[in-house]
Amino acid sequence: MKMGEGVEWSLHCCVTLAWTEEQWPVPIARLAAWFDLPVEYLKKRLQALVRAGILTSTPGIRGGFGLARPAEQISLLDVVTAIEGGTDPFRCTEIRQRGHSGRTATADFAHPCGIALAMRRAELAWRRELAAQTIADLAAAAPAGSAERTRCEIANAGRTG
């Protein structure tokens, strides 16, 4: 399954916002500079997270973004769904019922397509894994020192720029 880069950007920003919650709101320009991302593209991703209730935003010169709820209550699935949408990644079109196959094996179609069932099981397992992990889990699993370095440098960026 392929996800867009917006998922990676969004997850990293959510972890950063979890680490910098005392500095709320964190300006979009600061987040974009921290990850060397284009501001306008990042803004679109973060606005999708605001619409999904994952982030909160404050407009204006002193505005920015923060988590809308505790990091323990934001699953990876929440973020992926907000960015990628909730559509199923696999859609069975029952090609087995078309062409020569469809004309000669009609009794075989009484049961659901085995390929569709296998893909659905895999998708459900993927969704369960994403739902079981939170932004807090990602923040806790990050390399030692990452949170403190991020807090300090994001705060210092606010004083200098």
Side-chain angles (χ1 to χ4, degrees), residues 16-27:
T16 299
L17 292 170
W19 286 335
T20 59
E21 62 188 347
E22 294 88 29
Q23 299 168 31
W24 180 92
V26 176

Side-chain angles (χ1 to χ4, degrees), residues 13-47:
C13 285
C14 285
V15 170
T16 299
L17 292 170
W19 286 335
T20 59
E21 62 188 347
E22 294 88 29
Q23 299 168 31
W24 180 92
V26 176
I28 185 77
R30 208 168 299 160
L31 288 169
W34 185 244
F35 293 113
D36 192 26
L37 299 172
V39 173
E40 289 306 312
Y41 288 118
L42 180 59
K43 186 185 297 183
K44 289 179 184 178
R45 299 325 183 272
L46 298 187
Q47 287 170 341

Side-chain angles (χ1 to χ4, degrees), residues 71-120:
E72 296 80 12
Q73 295 176 14
I74 302 170
S75 74
L76 275 61
L77 183 60
D78 294 336
V79 176
V80 170
T81 302
I83 299 300
E84 294 288 316
T87 59
D88 294 339
F90 180 81
R91 186 173 60 86
C92 181
T93 61
E94 284 288 347
I95 67 168
R96 66 188 183 145
Q97 295 186 35
R98 300 192 314 223
H100 187 68
S101 171
R103 289 189 298 275
T104 60
T106 55
D108 294 343
F109 306 136
H111 300 286
C113 175
I115 293 169
L117 291 174
M119 296 302 283
R120 182 67 181 155

